[in-house]
Amino acid sequence: MELLPTIWFIAIAVLWTGYLFLEGFDLGVGMLMKLFARNNTERRVLLNTIGPVWDGNEVWLLTAGGATFAAFPLWYASLFSALYLPLLVVLVALIFRAVAFEYRGKVDTESWRARWDWAIALGSFLAAFGVGAALALTTTGLPLNANGDREGGPFAWFSGYAVLGGLAVVCFSLLHALAFLALKTDGDVRHRARSWFIRLLPVLLLPLAGWALSVQVLSGKPWTVAAVAVAVVAAAVAWFLARKGAEGRAFTALGAFLVLGSASIFGAVFPVVLPSTLSPEFNLTISNASSSDYTLGLMSIVAAVGLPLVIAYQAWTYWVFRRRVSAAHIPEAHSFLPAVAAKAFTKG
C-alpha cells in the first residue's frame, strides 16, 4: 500500500472527526437556541458558551476541504461537483449563522432577536445536515462514471444514505451540545441539559449507529466491526457517567463514541475514498485519486509545522474560556446608538 496517500487518507479522516467533535457541539448549541432555551437570558447563556470558540472550530472544516483538494484532487473534484447544490446550501447556512451571531444583539427588541435566533438555528441545522449527507455519500457511494463524473440530474445524490448521514450529524450535534452545556454552564441550564442528555442519548445516537452499521454491511472489516462494538460501550459509559453527575467524563466518553464510530466508517471503506454505485471499477481510491508523492511530501512537511500550532492555539482558547457560564453572568440587555449617530448626538 502506498505510504503517503495512506497517511493523508488518515489525516483527512482525523480532520473530519475533529470537525465533527468541535463544530458538532456548537452547531448543536445553535439548534438548541429554539429547541432548548426558554427565554432571552438562556439564549445569551448558550451563545456565550460558544462565542469564543465557534469560528475557530470551523478551521477544521476549511482544513479538511483544503487537504482533500491538495492530497486527493480527483476525490475533491468528483465529490464537490456531484454535491454542488447541497454544499452550496451548507455554505449559505454557515454565512447566515455567522452573520446572526454578530447581528443578534445589535437591537434590543424581541422581533429582531427572534429573526436572528431562527437564522442561527436553521443555519446550524442545514450545515449539520449537509455535512452529514456529504460524508455519508463519501462512504456509501455516488453514481460516478469512469471519468469520475456524476451520472444523472442535480439530485442524483439524494438517497436514503444521504438522509441517514444528515440525520446522524444533526442528532449527534444536538446530543453533543447537551453534554457540552452540562459541562460549560451552571444553574437551571446545566441541570436541564444533563437531564435531556440522559433521556435523549439512546434516541439521538441511533442514526449515527445506523450509518456506521450500514458501512460495515457494505465493506466492513473485523477491526472496524469491533470498533463499532466498543463505540456502543463508550455511549453506555457516557450515559452512566451523566447519571452520576460526572459531566466532564461523560463529554469525553461521548467524544470517544464519535472517534470510534468515525474510525470504523473510514476504516471500512479504505482504500476507497469515493465509491461508485454504478460499478466498483469506477471507484476512486487512494491510488488513482491522489496527488504526486512530491506534493504529498511537501504537504506533510507543512502539516507537521502548522497542525501543532492550530491545536495549540485552540487548546489555549478553550483553557482561557474554561469557566462555567450562568444567567448571573449575563448583564441586562440595552439599546445603544451606533458610533456615528452617537458622535452626531453629542455634537448637537
Side-chain angles (χ1 to χ4, degrees):
M1 194 63 65
E2 300 177 48
L3 178 60
L4 286 176
T6 300
I7 290 174
W8 274 99
F9 177 86
I10 295 171
I12 290 170
V14 169
L15 288 170
W16 278 116
T17 304
Y19 173 73
L20 293 177
F21 182 87
L22 294 173
E23 185 84 290
F25 66 74
D26 75 51
L27 289 173
V29 169
M31 287 183 273
L32 290 174
M33 290 281 288
K34 296 307 264 184
L35 296 173
F36 177 83
R38 293 174 173 171
N39 51 51
N40 181 49
T41 299
E42 289 193 354
R43 292 186 183 97
R44 291 175 69 190
V45 168
L46 265 60
L47 286 177
N48 275 268
T49 63
I50 61 173
V53 298
W54 70 267
D55 47 354
N57 293 341
E58 290 188 353
V59 169
W60 291 78
L61 174 63
L62 299 175
T63 308
T68 304
F69 170 76
F72 298 97
L74 293 181
W75 179 10
Y76 179 93
S78 296
L79 180 66
F80 279 67
S81 61
L83 301 181
Y84 182 84
L85 286 179
L87 292 179
L88 178 62
V89 171
V90 169
L91 178 61
V92 173
L94 289 173
I95 292 172
F96 267 91
R97 180 173 178 264
V99 171
F101 282 140
E102 301 297 330
Y103 276 61
R104 182 187 185 275
K106 299 303 183 185
V107 177
D108 184 23
T109 66
E110 288 297 327
S111 60
W112 174 270
R113 285 192 292 265
R115 285 194 292 269
W116 293 114
D117 287 342
W118 277 112
I120 293 171
L122 293 176
S124 299
F125 170 80
L126 290 173
F129 189 91
V131 168
L135 290 176
L137 293 171
T138 297
T139 56
T140 57
L142 285 164
L144 303 178
N145 60 25
N147 295 323
D149 298 325
R150 182 198 66 214
E151 295 283 348
F155 294 98
W157 56 271
F158 190 78
S159 67
Y161 287 125
V163 175
L164 179 62
L167 290 176
V169 174
V170 167
C171 291
F172 176 81
S173 296
L174 287 170
L175 187 67
H176 203 33
L178 291 171
F180 178 74
L181 291 175
L183 175 64
K184 196 67 176 63
T185 63
D186 213 345
D188 185 57
V189 173
R190 173 188 180 183
H191 300 305
R192 204 162 74 249
R194 188 174 67 202
S195 175
W196 279 38
F197 177 85
I198 294 168
R199 284 185 293 166
L200 295 177
L201 183 147
V203 176
L204 292 180
L205 289 186
L206 282 177
L208 185 53
W211 174 15
L213 290 173
S214 298
V215 174
Q216 303 312 310
V217 171
L218 293 173
S219 54
K221 305 174 178 68
W223 76 266
T224 60
V225 174
V228 173
V230 179
V232 172
V233 174
V237 170
W239 182 84
F240 175 78
L241 290 171
R243 285 181 59 87
K244 299 285 286 184
E247 291 141 344
R249 286 182 287 173
F251 182 81
T252 302
L254 185 65
F257 169 85
L258 173 67
V259 171
L260 289 164
S262 178
S264 72
I265 291 170
F266 281 101
V269 298
F270 179 83
V272 175
V273 296
L274 186 57
S276 170
T277 56
L278 301 180
S279 171
E281 296 179 358
F282 303 154
N283 288 348
L284 296 180
T285 68
I286 64 167
S287 299
N288 63 21
S290 67
S291 295
S292 66
D293 284 346
Y294 176 81
T295 300
L296 296 177
L298 185 60
M299 289 176 58
S300 300
I301 295 172
V302 174
V305 176
L307 188 58
L309 293 176
V310 172
I311 294 173
Y313 86 70
Q314 281 207 286
W316 179 80
T317 303
Y318 278 95
W319 174 255
V320 169
F321 295 100
R322 67 189 182 277
R323 303 295 183 187
R324 289 183 181 270
V325 181
S326 70
H329 298 132
I330 305 298
E332 290 294 326
H334 60 280
S335 297
F336 64 93
L337 289 172
V340 175
K343 185 176 180 180
F345 179 79
T346 56
K347 284 183 175 181

